[in-house]
Amino acid sequence: MLRSDEKRAWTGFLTSSPLFADEAIANWSDGPDPPDVLCSGVSGKAIGVELTKWVEHNQVTAGAGRERLEKSYLKIIASEKESRPNHIRQVLLYDKSLRIDQADRIEFRNQLYRFIAAENAKPLPEFHPHLQITADFWKKFRSWDEQGAFVNDFSAYPMLEKYLEKLLIHPRSNNDPPLVDVEWIEFELPGGSYTAQWMMQAVIDRVYQKVNKYQDADIRSQHALHEFDLLCFYCDEAMLHNTPIHSVGFGFPQLAEQVRQNLKTAPKVFDRIFLFHPYEAPKAIQVY
């Protein structure tokens, strides 16, 4: 039986490409797995369709694990229950990828708020021509005014030194609205450099996994199929945790073309192979 994500992908694909098998589909039902779907064309043509997710599993695993770790920190800190200091708008955490031990949680939270309160209490530096900026200068004055800045001197705060690499403090401005019951201690949004080739390779890897799996299985004869196709569909996991498929001058059509070129020499296990991305136009592209 199709899982809910598979059913959404299949019905979305069929809506966007009703003539994918060169004729309209009269009816369809869950397949015996394999294939995942059994279809009958209007001419009586029997078509089997195998489904596979277009997803980079290593990124999903890392992304989901990272999300759980961050949530565990934010649950302990609970900044939405604390008043923001009068000079601080936001604090971003940069941790050491360690889970906070149960025995450390209360003291970690206490030390974090004491540290932030101490930073908030620092005065602004008053610069003059004869001012000497020594190594200890920023221990007495704010270093994070205007654009914000990193702070990482946790020498007096052993719990912060144990779990955090640094903090990024953003100052308040006169235009900041009075926020209530809102998290103001957070993690930086995920990002960084990437290449769309990673998601192109994810497609190729998923297709070849299915090719290798069914290369020696005569699925057509087993189920009296006239045609055996593969649908590789973009899923919610990829949307949440994988890098984008776009880069400058490169989008879904360009990615599909590169996949098509890579599959030219693939063994003929499937009669047709399609990519389906529900948020693109066109949504479906045949690559084999």
Side-chain angles (χ1 to χ4, degrees):
M1 180 177 293
L2 292 177
R3 301 189 308 269
S4 59
D5 59 338
E6 291 176 328
K7 189 171 184 179
R8 286 196 305 272
W10 165 246
T11 55
F13 169 72
L14 189 58
T15 300
S16 66
S17 304
L19 304 177
F20 75 92
D22 293 334
E23 63 178 82
I25 300 301
N27 56 71
W28 66 271
S29 62
D30 287 351
D33 188 22
D36 292 307
V37 178
L38 288 175
C39 306
S40 294
V42 291
S43 69
K45 180 180 179 181
I47 306 145
V49 182
E50 181 73 2
L51 276 64
T52 188
K53 286 184 180 182
W54 174 7
V55 63
E56 214 297 319
H57 284 293
N58 290 332
Q59 289 182 9
V60 169
T61 302
R66 181 68 209 170
E67 184 178 9
R68 287 194 296 271
L69 182 67
E70 291 181 2
K71 284 183 176 179
S72 71
Y73 274 70
L74 298 179
K75 184 176 180 180
I76 294 167
I77 295 166
S79 61
E80 70 278 5
K81 298 179 181 179
E82 302 290 336
S83 299
R84 291 188 301 167
N86 61 321
H87 297 305
I88 293 175
R89 176 171 57 86
Q90 183 187 46
V91 176
L92 296 180
L93 306 176
Y94 293 81
D95 63 282
K96 294 182 177 179
S97 298
L98 297 174
R99 291 198 174 276
I100 302 176
D101 293 337
Q102 181 72 38
D104 292 343
R105 293 179 181 181
I106 294 176
E107 188 58 21
F108 172 83
R109 186 179 193 275
N110 290 340
Q111 288 187 20
L112 177 62
Y113 283 109
R114 289 205 303 270
F115 178 86
I116 292 173
E119 285 290 324
N120 181 72
K122 288 181 178 180
L124 289 172
E126 295 183 3
F127 295 102
H128 55 80
H130 305 294
L131 177 67
Q132 293 184 349
I133 299 179
T134 64
D136 294 332
F137 181 84
W138 294 113
K139 291 183 179 181
K140 301 176 182 178
F141 298 99
R142 274 187 241 163
S143 63
W144 39 267
D145 201 59
E146 296 183 0
Q147 299 300 319
F150 289 105
V151 292
N152 59 5
D153 182 7
F154 302 137
S155 54
Y157 303 86
M159 286 297 167
L160 304 191
E161 200 164 48
K162 180 177 180 179
Y163 291 105
L164 298 179
E165 292 284 355
K166 56 190 175 183
L167 300 177
L168 177 59
I169 298 179
H170 289 289
R172 283 207 200 195
S173 71
N174 294 331
N175 298 323
D176 284 338
L179 299 177
V180 180
D181 298 331
V182 174
E183 284 185 337
W184 53 273
I185 303 177
E186 303 173 279
F187 286 89
E188 189 174 30
L189 292 174
S193 61
Y194 72 92
T195 171
Q197 302 296 316
W198 295 342
M199 290 307 288
M200 182 199 75
Q201 189 60 49
V203 172
I204 295 169
D205 291 345
R206 298 297 290 169
V207 169
Y208 271 98
Q209 285 176 12
K210 290 293 184 177
V211 167
N212 293 334
K213 182 175 182 178
Y214 298 124
Q215 190 167 6
D216 298 324
D218 192 355
I219 303 299
R220 292 176 189 78
S221 297
Q222 290 179 29
H223 303 289
L225 300 176
H226 296 95
E227 185 172 315
F228 183 36
D229 297 335
L230 177 66
L231 174 62
C232 185
F233 66 93
Y234 193 82
C235 62
D236 291 345
E237 290 170 288
M239 177 65 73
L240 290 171
H241 301 297
N242 283 170
T243 49
I245 69 167
H246 295 86
S247 59
V248 177
F250 189 92
F252 187 34
Q254 290 77 23
L255 182 146
E257 179 56 34
Q258 290 197 20
V259 171
R260 181 182 292 111
Q261 296 302 320
N262 276 271
L263 296 181
K264 279 186 174 180
T265 58
K268 185 176 171 53
V269 172
F270 299 99
D271 294 284
R272 309 172 203 250
I273 299 175
F274 299 90
L275 301 186
F276 177 69
H277 193 312
Y279 307 111
E280 293 289 330
K283 296 178 185 294
I285 299 178
Q286 185 173 344
V287 294
Y288 183 91

